[in-house]
Amino acid sequence: APIDVISLGIGENGHIAFNDPPVADFHDPARVKVVEMDVACRRQQVNDGCFPTMADVPRHALSITLPVFAGAGMLCCIVPGPRKAAAVRATLAGPVGTECPATLLRTHPRAWLFTDPAAAGELSPDLVAAFAAPAP
């Protein structure tokens, strides 16, 4: 059945669901695949407290692919913290493509991005205004 809503985050390197820049594919024919996590993604696992050291972080992970995100009815992306600020800026201001897989959010008709002030810390006021939702 189609996926109605996907709740996701953005990695420090702009990845979503372990679709790291080196392996991300907007046209991947698979729905799920084994990926080799790059160093930035593995380091984030330590930074987030998921693993005590880099040596403990697996080198491979199962990941849903970018077309699965693109086909969902709605994307709800929640991004906290200062370590994500550059990725949030790249998501909203960089070119859409696999250098920052999270730019997929800009191609989706029902994507919502929620950040805290730290994660939005590298956004210009003009960029914030361009993407801000109207007040309820």
Side-chain angles (χ1 to χ4, degrees):
I3 297 173
D4 294 323
V5 178
I6 295 178
S7 177
L8 67 143
I10 297 174
E12 293 174 21
N13 65 354
H15 77 251
I16 53 176
F18 299 122
N19 290 283
D20 288 314
V23 298
D25 181 353
F26 278 62
H27 305 287
D28 198 316
R31 294 184 58 73
V32 177
K33 67 181 180 181
V34 175
V35 296
E36 184 171 353
M37 295 191 294
D38 73 5
V39 173
C41 182
R42 292 179 64 236
R43 184 172 293 118
Q44 180 184 329
Q45 303 308 304
V46 175
N47 292 344
D48 288 348
C50 299
F51 296 91
T53 69
M54 283 288 285
D56 296 310
V57 181
R59 294 187 180 275
H60 295 88
L62 281 174
S63 181
I64 62 173
T65 61
L66 295 178
V68 173
F69 287 96
M74 181 170 37
L75 301 176
C76 180
C77 186
I78 303 163
V79 186
R83 291 191 325 264
K84 307 287 182 86
V88 169
R89 181 180 32 78
T91 298
L92 297 179
V96 173
T98 58
E99 288 301 312
C100 180
T103 57
L104 177 128
L105 294 171
R106 294 197 349 240
T107 70
H108 196 285
R110 294 189 65 211
W112 292 89
L113 174 62
F114 300 93
T115 70
D116 64 5
E122 292 189 18
L123 302 178
S124 69
D126 291 341
L127 189 61
V128 171
F131 283 98

